[in-house]
């Protein structure tokens, strides 16, 4: 079972969320919910690469659901700003050597890197499956899809971080989002979306390089 990468991801994330539930203390309680939300699109991406789902019409409804939840994965990168709550520097400007501080640091880093990197790996696999479903082998089409998904994810991150709307609101109370979504398009918002899109695309490029190199060497 542990040779199956899907089950490795599932077991590690479930164990990590349980660990956070017992170990994380205020003011980092938000990390438990955010990690769960960040894992949902990862689980959906695992389902989308299931051989039975890939051949079924249900692929497309799950894809839409994945797209709605996907921003929650890279969203955790913005949680790193909460590291400032640790007051990491001494009066002399040096980093404090506190066990509690560095444990909290590790919780944030593991959740942020785990959700964002595996989320982007899931994006890689999903774009590959979309190309197969549509019988398109054009590399430019795949790159365009990646950029579009990253832009949409960046907009989703902005909505969650600055408008404070969770993904579930889109499913249960979409009317609440209409006016805020219309009024959110400001120069600062657009700059934020561009920056987050560049970051995600850069990380995706690194993952793509690693995958290609691994295929060539193993």
């Amino acid at each position: 079972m542990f040779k199956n990468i899907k089950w490795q991801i599932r077991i590690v994330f479930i164990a990590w969320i349980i660990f956070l539930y017992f170990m994380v203390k205020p003011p980092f309680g938000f990390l438990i919910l955010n990690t769960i939300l960040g894992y949902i699109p990862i689980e959906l991406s695992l389902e989308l690469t299931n051989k039975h789902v890939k051949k079924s019409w249900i692929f497309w409804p799950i894809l839409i659901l994945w797209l709605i939840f996907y921003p929650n994965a890279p969203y955790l990168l913005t949680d790193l700003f909460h590291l400032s709550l640790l007051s990491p520097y001494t009066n002399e400007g040096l980093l404090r050597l506190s066990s509690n501080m560095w444990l909290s640091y590790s919780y944030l880093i593991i959740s942020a890197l785990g959700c964002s990197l595996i989320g982007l790996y899931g994006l890689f696999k999903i774009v590959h499956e979309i190309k197969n479903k549509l019988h398109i082998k054009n590399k430019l089409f795949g790159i365009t899809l990646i950029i579009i998904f990253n832009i949409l994810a960046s907009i989703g991150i902005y909505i969650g971080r600055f408008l404070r709307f969770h993904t579930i609101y889109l499913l249960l109370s979409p009317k609440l989002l209409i006016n805020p979504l219309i009024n959110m398009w400001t120069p600062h918002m657009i700059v934020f979306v561009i920056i987050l899109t560049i970051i995600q695309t850069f990380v995706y490029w690194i993952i793509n390089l690693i995958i290609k190199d691994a295929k060539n060497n193993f």
Side-chain angles (χ1 to χ4, degrees):
M1 181 174 68
F2 281 94
K3 292 182 179 180
N4 187 318
I5 190 171
K6 294 182 179 181
W7 280 106
Q8 287 186 48
I9 291 171
R10 286 175 175 137
I11 291 171
V12 168
F13 263 97
I14 291 171
W16 179 244
I17 290 168
I18 293 171
F19 176 83
L20 289 177
Y21 178 80
F22 288 104
M23 297 300 295
V24 168
K25 295 177 175 57
F28 295 104
F30 65 86
L31 191 58
I32 302 169
L33 175 60
N34 286 358
T35 303
I36 293 172
L37 291 173
Y39 174 68
I40 291 174
I42 292 172
E43 178 60 38
L44 291 172
S45 70
L46 297 179
E47 290 301 321
L48 286 169
T49 55
N50 181 293
K51 64 180 181 180
H52 300 295
V53 172
K54 288 191 294 185
K55 298 177 181 179
S56 171
W57 63 269
I58 202 172
F59 175 89
W60 299 109
I62 295 177
L63 178 66
I64 294 171
L65 195 60
W66 168 83
L67 185 58
I68 291 172
F69 280 93
Y70 177 64
N72 291 310
Y75 177 90
L76 273 93
L77 290 174
T78 64
D79 276 342
L80 295 179
F81 278 103
H82 292 302
L83 290 171
S84 61
L85 297 173
L86 297 172
S87 301
Y89 294 100
T90 65
N91 293 331
E92 292 76 27
L94 301 174
L95 275 175
R96 293 192 298 113
L97 189 58
S98 163
S99 297
N100 288 334
M101 185 189 81
W102 285 101
L103 279 173
S104 296
Y105 168 85
S106 70
Y107 301 155
L108 281 164
I109 289 294
I110 291 173
S111 284
L113 290 182
C115 288
S116 59
L117 292 179
I118 299 179
L120 280 166
Y121 175 73
L123 174 61
F124 174 89
K125 301 293 286 185
I126 286 170
V127 168
H128 178 72
E129 296 303 334
I130 292 173
K131 290 174 65 178
N132 286 341
K133 292 280 284 188
L134 299 177
H135 305 290
I136 298 174
K137 295 183 179 180
N138 190 304
K139 289 185 178 180
L140 182 59
F141 176 77
I143 294 170
T144 302
L145 270 185
I146 292 296
I147 293 173
I148 290 172
F149 285 145
N150 284 343
I151 291 172
L152 293 175
S154 298
I155 293 171
I157 293 169
Y158 178 89
I159 293 170
R161 177 55 67 192
F162 296 102
L163 301 186
R164 305 307 297 165
F165 284 120
H166 285 295
T167 305
I168 200 68
Y169 291 4
L170 185 61
L171 299 174
L172 299 181
S173 305
K175 290 183 179 180
L176 291 176
L177 278 72
I178 294 176
N179 286 333
L181 292 181
I182 292 173
N183 297 323
M184 73 179 183
W185 301 92
T186 65
H188 289 298
M189 178 269 186
I190 293 171
V191 170
F192 175 87
V193 168
I194 291 172
I195 291 172
L196 266 293
T197 300
I198 291 172
I199 291 172
Q200 291 179 82
T201 305
F202 178 73
V203 175
Y204 175 84
W205 172 71
I206 293 174
I207 293 173
N208 192 35
L209 282 181
I210 293 171
I211 292 171
K212 286 183 177 180
D213 184 66
K215 286 182 178 179
N216 292 331
N217 290 284
F218 293 96

